Amino acid sequence: MNFPASFSLCRIGCLTSVLALVPPWLLRAEPLLQTRPLEWPEADLSSRLMDGAHHFVERKIDESAASRGARWTRDFSSAEAYTKSIEPNRQRWKSVIGVVDARLPAGMERYGDEAAPALVAETARYRVYQVRWPVLDGVWGSGLLVEPKTAAVAGAVVVPDAGQTPEQLLGLAPGIAAEAQGARRLAENGFTLVLPVTISRAKLVTDDAQIRASDQTYREWIYRQAFHLGRHVVGYEVQIVLAAVDWLRAHRGAAIKIAVCGHAEGGLTALSAAAADPRIEVALVSGYFDSRQNGWAEPIYRNIWGRLREFGDAEIAALVLPRALVIEHSPVPHVTAHKGEVQTADFARVRAEVARIETGALFKRPALVRSDGGPYAAEALARLTTELGVAALAPLSAELPVEQRRAFQPTERHGRLFKEMEEHVQRLVQKSEHVREAAFLYTVMPALADNKWSTEARHPTQPVEKFVAGAKRYRELMAEEAMGRFDEALRPFAARSRKISETAKWTAYDVVLDVFPEFFAWGILVVPKDLQPGERRPVVVCQHGRNGVPRNLLDGNTSGYDNVAAKLADRGFIAFAPHNLYRGEDRYRWLGRKANTIHATLFSFIIASHDQILRWLETLPFVDGNRIAFYGLSYGGETAVRVPPLLEKYCLSICSGDFNQWTRKVAATDLPFGFMRTIEWEMPYWNLGNTFDYAEMAYLMVPRPFMVERGHLDRVSRDQWVAHEYAKVRWLYAQLGLADRTAITFFQGGHAMRAEGTFDFLHQHLHWPKPAGT
């Protein structure tokens, strides 16, 4: 018997009387009640779902350029009005590249010894010093300072590419052709220059075999840990540039004009710095400017959270206006890796992106210069000097600066900066717990801070209603800013199903539901055969982990899952085992990478999928929509602390084999089992370390029951970490008078669903009787 897709028992006025007419055999029909036949092969469903998700996010990326303008309110009536109107966008740009820390007071330290004197080189026109300057706590810019022997005509920070040294830009070391030594030419023409070190894109050199196997570059190593703490390798390098600008302003006064120049990776830094700081009068960006619609295919260390939602390169250029911007199209090193690629941009595409820059009637469009021979061509430098209002540059002289340091190793200098950035992030990791507590827990309910440190023998509990009301905005913050969500309405279910397995106690169906036009949800519904007409039962949604499929939980006899969905159905529960997208290794990582460009994540898909599943389950006549629980292992356990806290239709959640001190797990560099040492480059989520660790996510379950399942031998974490993080959850539930609604169970075993204490928890809180003898 097959009902049309539009048919819904829920639309019939007297639901109870209708259910009484539904015979038990109809609840086990093929296809399932109120669904159409599913014709796609089961073996194709996982890859088909992944393909659809990629098609969907690529469409959203394509649409991003057209919708970007809604996030801008430009006022072109005057330069002052314009600058004021774009200030919110400037602040958001600084935020997403991690320029959020106050810099230290300006300074510039020349340093050296007999083997490596502070005076690096001297010509008839200028002197070169090795210098360092304070940037952030423990982070110093380092590189070269060029001081002209006459009054400086202007100041500039010249940022090398990630494969260059400051010395190469001045001709002090080989590697760059004379005609591309832009810094040397500026030095000969009276500029005060600061040339900072750029973090290398080379493969990370380490004695640690585990880290070597993760195949990271120096830039990626900083990116991974910093991204999770709301910082970025790009942001650190921008801060270094801006600290140099601080010194130039303090050293030369307000009268001197300041430029920033950069090539390739240095061009990204230069453009970002000029966008961030209006004190920079002119920017020369060489070999970087482009359309970023395919920016997700660039190296992972260029990943910037949500940039295409608000910022293509044209929009970043808009943050430089009405100041001058010179864009030089020039060749860049071809970078290839399995995590992204860089090659010289197509000139027509660059020209089209420049044409997108909105200038109004008052402002001059940024200059676009084409240089096929290399960076810092004569025309680009001429545009720079014209905008700075200084005399035309004389050609390069024949006099080369001569290196005077006998024992200088650029790798040692780079290593110091690299270590300083890492240590800065690691201090943020250590502080993050207190940041999260202050920002969430004690903001929602300040009285909890007094409770925590009370010395009284007895203390009253706090009103749970007050906490729940105060936590609503944090649920919204987690959904929008931490996980991200798509601005697209869910489609009608168009449910399709087929029977795939059957025992004496239950029948199992593949079920497919539309979610978005290209994206669908898939899972296995397991229906007990002893359902009575009109009866509504609780559902347990059972979630597989990384590289799993729904049948692992039904009849796959897979280690760790123990056929949990089938065992629950044997106990009389309805079970549903959805498919999540973390299968296929880099296919799901690239999906998350694409989603990041539009302010979304892998969990943006997963949350939407579960939302649709919950909505559909509620329509089934044998489901009690108020008793739908979640139980997930591994990546499914990760789902347990990200999805049920946000989707309140889940009445209960159990996290198995994953509960953790997540910020340390993702971003700490001293842990043998941390993600900094693995191939899992998708694990950092923007600024999550300062907003939500597992305790804070679990707080959003209040007042619903929440449980953790932990095997003593599970290498995902350590017992003491799990216990420490869970203790915060237990403490909060206790302060709210809900201690009986949370639990943790430990067992002697590894990464698995033991399904003992967890089954008891499900029976207790779903109010479903345990079978006799269990």
Side-chain angles (χ1 to χ4, degrees):
M1 189 170 185
N2 189 17
F3 285 84
S6 60
F7 183 86
S8 174
L9 290 175
C10 296
R11 295 179 182 175
I12 299 176
C14 186
L15 179 61
T16 302
S17 62
V18 171
L19 290 174
L21 301 175
V22 179
W25 67 265
L26 183 56
L27 301 180
R28 302 193 298 274
E30 182 182 1
L32 186 67
L33 178 69
Q34 304 178 69
T35 68
R36 299 197 307 264
L38 174 61
E39 297 175 352
W40 296 337
E42 182 178 357
D44 293 346
L45 287 172
S46 177
S47 58
R48 187 186 288 262
L49 196 158
M50 180 65 74
D51 289 343
H54 276 274
H55 291 320
F56 170 78
V57 77
E58 287 164 9
R59 171 172 64 82
K60 300 302 286 185
I61 289 171
D62 289 342
E63 294 171 356
S64 66
S67 60
R68 216 169 281 155
R71 300 185 180 277
W72 293 73
T73 308
R74 296 176 174 92
D75 184 347
F76 288 105
S77 61
S78 68
E80 294 77 12
Y82 177 80
T83 300
K84 182 178 179 180
S85 71
I86 64 168
E87 187 59 25
N89 305 90
R90 189 189 320 283
Q91 294 305 318
R92 285 195 290 273
W93 176 246
K94 290 169 66 175
S95 176
V96 297
I97 62 172
V99 180
V100 294
D101 298 297
R103 291 188 299 279
L104 296 174
M108 186 69 67
E109 177 184 315
R110 303 176 187 181
Y111 67 94
D113 55 26
E114 187 173 343
L119 182 62
V120 170
E122 184 173 6
T123 72
R125 303 182 189 185
Y126 57 88
R127 297 181 180 91
V128 183
Y129 300 94
Q130 63 178 6
V131 292
R132 66 177 197 160
W133 57 100
V135 182
L136 306 172
D137 180 26
V139 178
W140 292 72
S142 59
L144 299 177
L145 169 67
V146 177
E147 289 277 34
K149 290 186 174 180
T150 57
V153 299
V157 183
V158 184
V159 189
D161 179 31
Q164 300 172 340
T165 66
E167 286 76 13
Q168 289 175 315
L169 294 180
L170 282 172
L172 277 163
I176 296 178
E179 57 270 22
Q181 294 170 11
R184 179 180 157 209
R185 192 167 178 208
L186 294 175
E188 290 189 348
N189 283 271
F191 278 70
T192 295
L193 301 179
V194 180
L195 288 80
V197 173
T198 297
I199 294 295
S200 172
R201 69 168 70 90
K203 289 291 178 66
L204 184 61
V205 177
T206 173
D207 294 330
D208 190 315
Q210 188 181 17
I211 295 176
R212 284 201 305 274
S214 72
D215 190 30
Q216 297 186 60
T217 65
Y218 287 95
R219 295 188 73 78
E220 182 182 344
W221 181 261
I222 298 299
Y223 157 81
R224 280 202 198 184
Q225 57 191 284
F227 193 84
H228 203 74
L229 275 300
R231 308 306 194 276
H232 205 292
V233 63
V234 173
Y236 279 119
E237 292 178 338
V238 167
Q239 290 277 44
I240 288 169
V241 168
L242 298 185
V245 172
D246 294 341
W247 178 80
L248 284 168
R249 275 279 169 254
H251 181 59
R252 293 298 190 185
I256 192 172
K257 288 192 172 182
I258 297 175
V260 61
C261 313
H263 174 61
E265 223 61 56
L268 167 57
T269 305
L271 179 62
S272 299
D277 195 332
R279 296 176 303 167
I280 297 169
E281 279 94 353
V282 186
L284 168 55
V285 176
S286 176
Y288 174 74
F289 202 86
D290 195 2
S291 166
R292 297 295 157 195
Q293 293 302 107
N294 291 324
W296 55 266
E298 297 174 20
I300 186 63
Y301 51 74
R302 285 190 177 184
N303 182 36
I304 294 173
W305 172 240
R307 69 163 296 170
L308 290 184
R309 191 171 72 161
E310 188 168 354
F311 303 105
D313 278 2
E315 285 76 21
I316 302 173
L319 296 175
V320 180
L321 295 178
R323 294 165 291 137
L325 174 61
V326 180
I327 298 166
E328 182 183 44
H329 177 272
S330 64
V332 300
H334 189 183
V335 177
T336 58
H338 76 274
K339 300 169 195 170
E341 181 179 28
V342 174
Q343 55 187 330
T344 301
D346 176 72
F347 180 73
R349 194 173 64 231
V350 174
R351 183 169 53 197
E353 187 70 9
V354 172
R356 279 204 323 107
I357 303 170
E358 295 186 31
T359 60
L362 289 179
F363 305 149
K364 184 168 59 175
R365 184 169 298 281
L368 174 60
V369 176
R370 183 168 186 171
S371 171
D372 295 330
Y376 304 121
E379 184 181 354
L381 290 177
R383 295 272 191 166
L384 174 73
T385 54
T386 297
E387 296 295 349
L388 286 169
V390 303
L393 299 180
L396 270 179
S397 73
E399 183 182 15
L400 275 169
V402 178
E403 172 69 67
Q404 297 183 19
R405 295 170 293 184
R406 299 192 308 275
F408 172 68
Q409 293 295 332
T411 54
E412 292 179 1
R413 181 182 59 189
H414 174 270
R416 286 194 297 271
L417 175 60
F418 175 72
K419 193 64 176 175
E420 287 167 3
M421 286 187 186
E422 178 180 343
E423 289 175 349
H424 188 268
V425 180
Q426 293 308 301
R427 288 192 292 274
L428 295 174
V429 171
Q430 295 301 318
K431 296 175 182 176
S432 63
E433 180 177 15
H434 308 296
V435 173
R436 293 189 302 271
E437 280 189 344
F440 182 174
L441 190 60
Y442 302 142
T443 300
V444 171
M445 216 166 187
L448 290 172
D450 298 331
N451 275 8
K452 187 169 184 179
W453 306 114
S454 174
T455 57
E456 296 179 26
R458 295 179 181 274
H459 208 285
T461 59
Q462 298 294 320
V464 65
E465 298 81 7
K466 183 176 180 182
F467 182 86
V468 171
K472 284 182 179 178
R473 68 185 183 97
Y474 290 92
R475 183 174 289 110
E476 179 67 17
L477 177 68
M478 182 178 166
E480 178 64 31
E481 296 300 329
M483 299 296 102
R485 57 188 171 201
F486 299 116
D487 56 346
E488 185 142 346
L490 297 173
R491 300 194 81 190
F493 304 127
R496 289 89 79 197
S497 72
R498 63 160 165 261
K499 185 164 66 176
I500 61 168
S501 187
E502 188 172 16
T503 70
K505 290 189 174 183
W506 47 257
T507 308
Y509 304 86
D510 265 335
V511 177
V512 165
L513 309 171
D514 284 352
V515 179
F516 300 130
E518 303 90 339
F519 178 56
F520 63 90
W522 161 48
I524 293 175
L525 180 70
V526 192
V527 184
K529 287 184 174 180
D530 61 351
L531 276 164
Q532 300 303 307
E535 182 184 13
R536 286 175 171 266
R537 288 198 187 175
V539 180
V540 181
V541 174
C542 308
Q543 188 63 66
H544 65 75
R546 173 181 162 201
N547 281 328
V549 292
R551 286 203 85 135
N552 295 148
L553 292 143
L554 179 70
D555 53 12
N557 297 316
T558 308
S559 174
Y561 297 113
D562 199 25
N563 296 340
V564 160
K567 289 187 174 182
L568 286 166
D570 287 343
R571 289 170 172 252
F573 291 103
I574 298 165
F576 189 86
H579 184 57
N580 275 359
L581 282 161
Y582 32 72
R583 185 167 186 253
E585 291 301 344
D586 278 359
R587 283 223 74 198
Y588 73 79
R589 296 191 175 101
W590 281 109
L591 180 65
R593 174 78 168 87
K594 291 175 182 178
N596 268 198
T597 66
I598 53 170
H599 203 84
T601 67
L602 189 66
F603 273 96
S604 304
F605 292 95
I606 293 170
I607 291 166
S609 178
H610 278 258
D611 192 5
Q612 190 75 320
I613 288 166
L614 287 166
R615 292 170 189 268
W616 178 73
L617 286 172
E618 283 190 314
T619 70
L620 298 180
F622 45 85
V623 165
D624 183 346
N626 293 317
R627 291 188 290 167
I628 303 178
F630 187 96
Y631 183 13
L633 171 68
S634 192
Y635 226 133
E638 187 173 333
T639 306
V641 290
R642 287 162 174 78
V643 174
L646 300 182
L647 298 181
E648 295 179 86
K649 286 187 174 71
Y650 277 121
C651 71
L652 173 158
S653 183
I654 302 174
C655 174
S656 177
D658 194 74
F659 200 81
N660 220 319
Q661 292 183 25
W662 194 248
T663 303
R664 292 182 69 188
K665 172 78 174 175
V666 172
T669 57
D670 61 344
L671 305 174
F673 53 85
F675 287 125
M676 283 298 298
R677 295 168 175 263
T678 72
I679 62 171
E680 288 146 304
W681 47 269
E682 84 284 2
M683 283 301 179
Y685 276 50
W686 177 249
N687 202 33
L688 195 64
N690 287 320
T691 52
F692 297 95
D693 208 308
Y694 275 21
E696 288 76 26
M697 295 180 194
Y699 295 162
L700 296 176
M701 284 298 298
V702 171
R704 296 168 288 161
F706 176 77
M707 184 178 187
V708 172
E709 183 180 38
R710 161 73 188 172
H712 288 305
L713 305 179
D714 190 340
R715 291 182 296 175
V716 162
S717 187
R718 294 172 175 162
D719 278 7
Q720 58 266 40
W721 280 27
V722 177
H724 173 90
E725 192 72 8
Y726 174 75
K728 301 179 195 176
V729 180
R730 165 76 187 188
W731 179 84
L732 177 62
Y733 271 70
Q735 301 318 300
L736 300 175
L738 304 173
D740 60 336
R741 298 191 191 183
T742 187
I744 188 168
T745 181
F746 290 91
F747 61 88
Q748 184 64 14
H751 195 59
M753 290 168 147
R754 182 56 60 93
E756 293 173 355
T758 52
F759 276 14
D760 291 340
F761 195 77
L762 290 167
H763 280 289
Q764 175 189 352
H765 292 286
L766 293 178
H767 308 293
W768 184 253
K770 294 172 65 175
T774 62

